[in-house]
Amino acid sequence: MRTLVITQDENRIDEQEIARAGKIILNGGLVAFPTETVYGLGGDGLNPDSARKIYEAKGRPSDNPLIVHIYRMEDLEILVKEIPESARKLAEAFWPGPLTMILPKDDLVPDETTGGLDTVAVRMPSHKVALAFIKAAGGFVAAPSANLSGKPSPTLAKYVLEDMDGRIDMIIDGGDIAIGLESTIVDLTGDVPMILRPGYITLDMLKDVLGEVTMDPTLLDDDCKERPKAPGMRYRHYAPKGDMLIIEGEPDKVVKEINMLVEESRQKGYKTGVIATAENADKYRADVVKVVGNRNDDTAIAASLYRILREFDDEEADAIYSESFATDGFGHAIMNRLLKAAGHKYIKIQEEV
Ligand code: AMP
Ligand code: MG
């Protein structure tokens, strides 16, 4: 299959090109498209064959459900059995935007799209190219992130091409992604709304709208024996080819510790890499040092994290050391993804007493 790449500017959408992309979806094909979180790999959300093709293109297990993307509120009614008051309030506050809601699915939504679950994940993205594309595609675009299973979600069209060339019909290049981490997922099917995946929309933001909101216990406790409620959170996530370790502690001590580890790895003949905050970057003696952003700038850190993880693979780094970042607010989502990438390997430097 030849994969066509087209370019679209959020401020100057070419309706004809978008109509062409939409037609591919309506004909059962696959199109990768930009959203404000990461690039998505879209197929017709109401067509079981499209869901199957998505799983095949990604090499993803078919029990890991897809998120159905819509472009207008009235279409939510078509996908779900009923819309609880909580969903209306959240849509009012955060849609279009980086929030996915889990709701009881209507029979119209094929089991293939939801991985056999009787609930469906729905999101209305805010990226203008995404909204125009979903409309042209008939209104219901099922899409996971547009990476091969086992790779970081793509934040640039070149990474979509790297993973999907020859596997899908079209890639819409919409330039840089604003957020860089996948959407917050909130489950509204239980008594109390529950976050299943942290993201840009934080626990406090949801509480401001709904009052009580809980967090899947597996997100708070590394040693939790329960299974995460979002099937996708159960899979081994992206890990760089090199061994990755996170070091937490007071900044100067972290620099010292990482430089010591770098030296040890060097002596073993390893190529070393560091994921550094801008404040510390020039203090490291590793072969490759990548600046993820300023220490207090969650937005910048999230936006560059996945790109940096891919770059370390290109560099063929054997040992990668990362600073640890703040865990409050949006930071929770950043550390959640960083820990997954490191296979939860981290050390904490104790404060001296
Ligand atoms: P991705 O599109 O790659 O961001 O992955 C979608 C995420 O949404 C995965 O972690 C899925 O497991 C999760 N998800 C989708 N549908 C549901 C659902 N009905 N219940 C719980 N989690 C879901
Ligand atoms: Mg994904």
Side-chain angles (χ1 to χ4, degrees):
M1 180 190 297
R2 228 188 111 242
T3 303
L4 190 70
V5 181
I6 66 166
T7 304
Q8 284 295 304
D9 180 340
E10 250 199 297
N11 303 312
R12 218 182 33 229
I13 290 172
D14 181 335
E15 294 297 340
Q16 239 172 344
E17 288 282 275
I18 288 292
R20 196 168 155 209
K23 208 163 272 162
I24 293 175
I25 298 292
L26 291 168
N27 288 333
L30 303 183
V31 175
F33 62 102
T35 80
E36 69 277 20
T37 57
V38 298
Y39 275 84
L41 173 53
D44 184 348
L46 304 183
N47 179 348
D49 286 333
S50 299
R52 277 187 219 110
K53 280 191 193 167
I54 290 174
Y55 292 123
E56 195 182 310
K58 270 185 76 88
R60 172 175 182 153
S62 57
D63 62 346
N64 188 358
L66 311 172
I67 295 172
V68 181
H69 294 71
I70 59 175
Y71 75 96
R72 56 176 183 185
M73 189 60 191
E74 60 248 55
D75 286 343
L76 180 61
E77 278 164 41
I78 295 174
L79 295 175
V80 305
K81 282 227 157 70
E82 55 170 337
I83 305 178
E85 193 49 33
S86 55
R88 288 194 193 280
K89 284 186 182 161
L90 290 181
E92 177 75 21
F94 302 115
W95 276 5
L99 179 73
T100 298
M101 300 191 224
I102 309 290
L103 294 161
K105 88 172 183 74
D106 189 273
D107 296 340
L108 193 74
V109 182
D111 288 338
E112 284 80 356
T113 301
T114 65
L117 296 176
D118 54 10
T119 54
V120 61
V122 191
R123 176 163 106 83
M124 191 195 297
S126 64
H127 198 292
K128 293 205 178 67
V129 173
L131 290 169
F133 163 65
I134 296 163
K135 184 176 181 188
F140 304 97
V141 173
S145 49
N147 52 287
L148 281 175
S149 196
K151 293 267 205 151
S153 298
T155 48
L156 290 168
K158 71 168 184 177
Y159 294 134
V160 181
L161 190 65
E162 208 172 280
D163 285 9
M164 293 296 155
D165 195 14
R167 293 174 163 261
I168 62 176
D169 300 282
M170 183 189 265
I171 297 170
I172 306 175
D173 182 346
D176 284 358
I177 281 314
I179 295 178
L181 296 184
E182 305 83 350
S183 60
T184 304
I185 301 180
V186 62
D187 183 355
L188 298 176
T189 62
D191 293 337
V192 179
M194 183 189 274
I195 293 184
L196 306 188
R197 177 172 74 185
Y200 184 79
I201 306 293
T202 63
L203 180 66
D204 284 344
M205 288 161 82
L206 294 175
K207 279 183 174 169
D208 277 348
V209 176
L210 296 182
E212 199 185 356
V213 179
T214 57
M215 190 79 89
D216 184 327
T218 61
L219 294 172
L220 298 171
D221 176 8
D222 240 17
D223 303 320
C224 186
K225 295 286 178 285
E226 283 176 46
R227 273 158 68 84
K229 278 195 73 187
M233 302 291 275
R234 287 173 206 153
Y235 291 102
R236 211 183 75 95
H237 257 243
Y238 171 74
K241 291 179 204 143
D243 239 2
M244 185 165 157
L245 178 68
I246 301 167
I247 295 91
E248 185 193 329
E250 195 255 307
D252 285 345
K253 295 204 175 104
V254 168
V255 171
K256 230 171 113 187
E257 179 73 20
I258 288 182
N259 276 334
M260 215 175 71
L261 291 163
V262 161
E263 193 45 46
E264 278 175 26
S265 292
R266 266 240 185 92
Q267 281 173 11
K268 291 181 193 154
Y270 294 160
K271 181 167 181 183
T272 56
V274 172
I275 301 178
T277 51
E279 290 85 341
N280 284 344
D282 59 1
K283 300 176 193 154
Y284 291 111
R285 295 193 293 267
D287 297 311
V288 187
V289 178
K290 303 253 179 215
V291 180
V292 71
N294 286 328
R295 175 168 300 284
N296 294 322
D297 192 350
D298 283 347
T299 315
I301 294 174
S304 51
L305 183 63
Y306 285 157
R307 172 181 53 77
I308 286 178
L309 291 175
R310 282 192 182 244
E311 285 172 356
F312 271 122
D313 277 354
D314 296 339
E315 301 266 7
E316 302 193 330
D318 304 300
I320 303 159
Y321 302 102
S322 178
E323 291 182 29
S324 181
F325 310 109
T327 53
D328 55 330
F330 187 28
H332 184 209
I334 295 171
M335 284 309 291
N336 170 262
R337 309 307 197 278
L338 192 67
L339 280 161
K340 278 180 184 293
H344 289 265
K345 289 193 290 286
Y346 74 106
I347 52 176
K348 186 171 179 170
I349 305 169
Q350 297 301 333
E351 301 285 321
E352 277 160 42
V353 276

mmCIF file of all heavy atoms in Angstrom, residues 6 41 49 68 78 92 111 118 166 177 187 190 260 265 270 282 285 322 324:
data_model
loop_
_atom_site.group_PDB
_atom_site.id
_atom_site.type_symbol
_atom_site.label_atom_id
_atom_site.label_comp_id
_atom_site.label_asym_id
_atom_site.label_seq_id
_atom_site.Cartn_x
_atom_site.Cartn_y
_atom_site.Cartn_z
ATOM 1 N N ILE A 6 -0.251 14.313 3.252
ATOM 2 C CA ILE A 6 -0.689 15.670 2.909
ATOM 3 C C ILE A 6 -0.431 16.576 4.118
ATOM 4 O O ILE A 6 -0.317 16.109 5.245
ATOM 5 C CB ILE A 6 -2.189 15.740 2.499
ATOM 6 C CG1 ILE A 6 -3.108 15.396 3.672
ATOM 7 C CG2 ILE A 6 -2.463 14.833 1.309
ATOM 8 C CD1 ILE A 6 -4.570 15.773 3.437
ATOM 9 N N LEU A 41 -4.475 7.387 14.786
ATOM 10 C CA LEU A 41 -4.586 6.511 13.614
ATOM 11 C C LEU A 41 -6.064 6.193 13.433
ATOM 12 O O LEU A 41 -6.617 5.365 14.149
ATOM 13 C CB LEU A 41 -3.774 5.234 13.844
ATOM 14 C CG LEU A 41 -3.899 4.125 12.815
ATOM 15 C CD1 LEU A 41 -3.621 4.638 11.413
ATOM 16 C CD2 LEU A 41 -2.930 3.004 13.148
ATOM 17 N N ASP A 49 -14.716 -3.702 10.388
ATOM 18 C CA ASP A 49 -13.521 -3.990 9.584
ATOM 19 C C ASP A 49 -12.447 -2.929 9.782
ATOM 20 O O ASP A 49 -11.247 -3.234 9.771
ATOM 21 C CB ASP A 49 -13.880 -4.064 8.091
ATOM 22 C CG ASP A 49 -14.613 -5.351 7.770
ATOM 23 O OD1 ASP A 49 -14.389 -6.336 8.511
ATOM 24 O OD2 ASP A 49 -15.398 -5.359 6.815
ATOM 25 N N VAL A 68 -13.322 6.644 20.360
ATOM 26 C CA VAL A 68 -14.100 7.179 19.242
ATOM 27 C C VAL A 68 -14.100 8.703 19.340
ATOM 28 O O VAL A 68 -14.471 9.269 20.371
ATOM 29 C CB VAL A 68 -15.544 6.636 19.230
ATOM 30 C CG1 VAL A 68 -16.303 7.199 18.031
ATOM 31 C CG2 VAL A 68 -15.540 5.103 19.189
ATOM 32 N N ILE A 78 -25.592 9.311 19.932
ATOM 33 C CA ILE A 78 -25.653 8.161 19.029
ATOM 34 C C ILE A 78 -24.779 7.009 19.546
ATOM 35 O O ILE A 78 -25.092 5.843 19.345
ATOM 36 C CB ILE A 78 -25.222 8.607 17.613
ATOM 37 C CG1 ILE A 78 -26.266 9.621 17.101
ATOM 38 C CG2 ILE A 78 -25.065 7.424 16.655
ATOM 39 C CD1 ILE A 78 -25.930 10.262 15.797
ATOM 40 N N GLU A 92 -19.152 20.275 28.784
ATOM 41 C CA GLU A 92 -19.302 21.736 28.841
ATOM 42 C C GLU A 92 -17.973 22.395 29.238
ATOM 43 O O GLU A 92 -17.555 23.397 28.670
ATOM 44 C CB GLU A 92 -20.388 22.037 29.879
ATOM 45 C CG GLU A 92 -20.664 23.495 30.159
ATOM 46 C CD GLU A 92 -21.455 24.159 29.036
ATOM 47 O OE1 GLU A 92 -22.133 23.434 28.245
ATOM 48 O OE2 GLU A 92 -21.391 25.374 28.948
ATOM 49 N N ASP A 111 -18.445 -4.233 18.578
ATOM 50 C CA ASP A 111 -17.593 -4.804 19.626
ATOM 51 C C ASP A 111 -16.114 -4.684 19.265
ATOM 52 O O ASP A 111 -15.255 -4.570 20.140
ATOM 53 C CB ASP A 111 -17.918 -6.294 19.833
ATOM 54 C CG ASP A 111 -19.261 -6.470 20.534
ATOM 55 O OD1 ASP A 111 -19.689 -5.505 21.211
ATOM 56 O OD2 ASP A 111 -19.876 -7.536 20.382
ATOM 57 N N ASP A 118 -18.629 -3.459 27.020
ATOM 58 C CA ASP A 118 -19.945 -2.845 26.794
ATOM 59 C C ASP A 118 -19.916 -1.341 27.090
ATOM 60 O O ASP A 118 -20.950 -0.691 27.216
ATOM 61 C CB ASP A 118 -21.045 -3.564 27.593
ATOM 62 C CG ASP A 118 -20.705 -3.645 29.060
ATOM 63 O OD1 ASP A 118 -19.726 -2.987 29.478
ATOM 64 O OD2 ASP A 118 -21.417 -4.362 29.802
ATOM 65 N N GLY A 166 3.364 2.552 4.352
ATOM 66 C CA GLY A 166 3.001 1.300 3.693
ATOM 67 C C GLY A 166 1.917 0.522 4.418
ATOM 68 O O GLY A 166 1.434 -0.486 3.922
ATOM 69 N N ILE A 177 2.629 19.123 17.737
ATOM 70 C CA ILE A 177 1.512 18.794 18.613
ATOM 71 C C ILE A 177 1.620 19.692 19.841
ATOM 72 O O ILE A 177 2.724 19.955 20.324
ATOM 73 C CB ILE A 177 1.648 17.294 18.987
ATOM 74 C CG1 ILE A 177 1.168 16.379 17.867
ATOM 75 C CG2 ILE A 177 1.010 16.974 20.309
ATOM 76 C CD1 ILE A 177 -0.095 16.651 17.204
ATOM 77 N N ASP A 187 -13.587 7.457 33.743
ATOM 78 C CA ASP A 187 -14.660 6.461 33.655
ATOM 79 C C ASP A 187 -15.889 6.987 34.392
ATOM 80 O O ASP A 187 -15.833 7.244 35.598
ATOM 81 C CB ASP A 187 -14.155 5.158 34.298
ATOM 82 C CG ASP A 187 -15.174 4.033 34.191
ATOM 83 O OD1 ASP A 187 -16.301 4.287 33.703
ATOM 84 O OD2 ASP A 187 -14.849 2.896 34.596
ATOM 85 N N GLY A 190 -19.220 4.185 36.886
ATOM 86 C CA GLY A 190 -19.380 3.757 38.278
ATOM 87 C C GLY A 190 -20.105 4.817 39.107
ATOM 88 O O GLY A 190 -20.578 5.816 38.574
ATOM 89 N N MET A 260 27.991 9.914 38.245
ATOM 90 C CA MET A 260 28.681 8.731 38.727
ATOM 91 C C MET A 260 28.227 7.484 37.956
ATOM 92 O O MET A 260 29.042 6.665 37.517
ATOM 93 C CB MET A 260 28.350 8.550 40.212
ATOM 94 C CG MET A 260 29.459 8.000 41.056
ATOM 95 S SD MET A 260 28.908 8.012 42.771
ATOM 96 C CE MET A 260 27.685 6.708 42.739
ATOM 97 N N SER A 265 28.916 3.330 33.626
ATOM 98 C CA SER A 265 28.438 2.748 32.363
ATOM 99 C C SER A 265 29.491 2.906 31.273
ATOM 100 O O SER A 265 29.696 2.018 30.447
ATOM 101 C CB SER A 265 27.148 3.435 31.914
ATOM 102 O OG SER A 265 26.109 3.121 32.787
ATOM 103 N N TYR A 270 29.588 1.345 27.480
ATOM 104 C CA TYR A 270 28.245 1.712 27.032
ATOM 105 C C TYR A 270 28.194 3.132 26.513
ATOM 106 O O TYR A 270 28.897 4.010 27.016
ATOM 107 C CB TYR A 270 27.250 1.614 28.196
ATOM 108 C CG TYR A 270 27.018 0.218 28.715
ATOM 109 C CD1 TYR A 270 26.493 0.031 29.994
ATOM 110 C CD2 TYR A 270 27.301 -0.901 27.934
ATOM 111 C CE1 TYR A 270 26.256 -1.241 30.494
ATOM 112 C CE2 TYR A 270 27.071 -2.178 28.434
ATOM 113 C CZ TYR A 270 26.555 -2.335 29.714
ATOM 114 O OH TYR A 270 26.324 -3.586 30.195
ATOM 115 N N ASP A 282 24.011 21.434 31.315
ATOM 116 C CA ASP A 282 25.449 21.539 31.000
ATOM 117 C C ASP A 282 26.345 20.937 32.081
ATOM 118 O O ASP A 282 27.565 20.958 31.980
ATOM 119 C CB ASP A 282 25.836 22.994 30.687
ATOM 120 C CG ASP A 282 25.534 23.922 31.848
ATOM 121 O OD1 ASP A 282 25.052 23.411 32.898
ATOM 122 O OD2 ASP A 282 25.765 25.134 31.725
ATOM 123 N N ARG A 285 27.998 14.741 32.072
ATOM 124 C CA ARG A 285 29.146 14.326 31.257
ATOM 125 C C ARG A 285 28.816 13.102 30.392
ATOM 126 O O ARG A 285 29.710 12.355 30.009
ATOM 127 C CB ARG A 285 30.323 14.024 32.193
ATOM 128 C CG ARG A 285 30.805 15.274 32.938
ATOM 129 C CD ARG A 285 32.134 15.032 33.611
ATOM 130 N NE ARG A 285 32.051 14.075 34.702
ATOM 131 C CZ ARG A 285 31.859 14.417 35.983
ATOM 132 N NH1 ARG A 285 31.744 15.698 36.321
ATOM 133 N NH2 ARG A 285 31.773 13.498 36.908
ATOM 134 N N SER A 322 17.479 9.508 33.653
ATOM 135 C CA SER A 322 16.578 10.659 33.576
ATOM 136 C C SER A 322 16.403 11.292 34.938
ATOM 137 O O SER A 322 16.310 10.592 35.955
ATOM 138 C CB SER A 322 15.197 10.229 33.048
ATOM 139 O OG SER A 322 14.322 11.341 33.017
ATOM 140 N N SER A 324 14.033 13.192 37.614
ATOM 141 C CA SER A 324 12.637 12.965 37.961
ATOM 142 C C SER A 324 11.957 14.335 37.959
ATOM 143 O O SER A 324 12.605 15.345 38.183
ATOM 144 C CB SER A 324 12.609 12.340 39.350
ATOM 145 O OG SER A 324 11.307 12.079 39.734
#
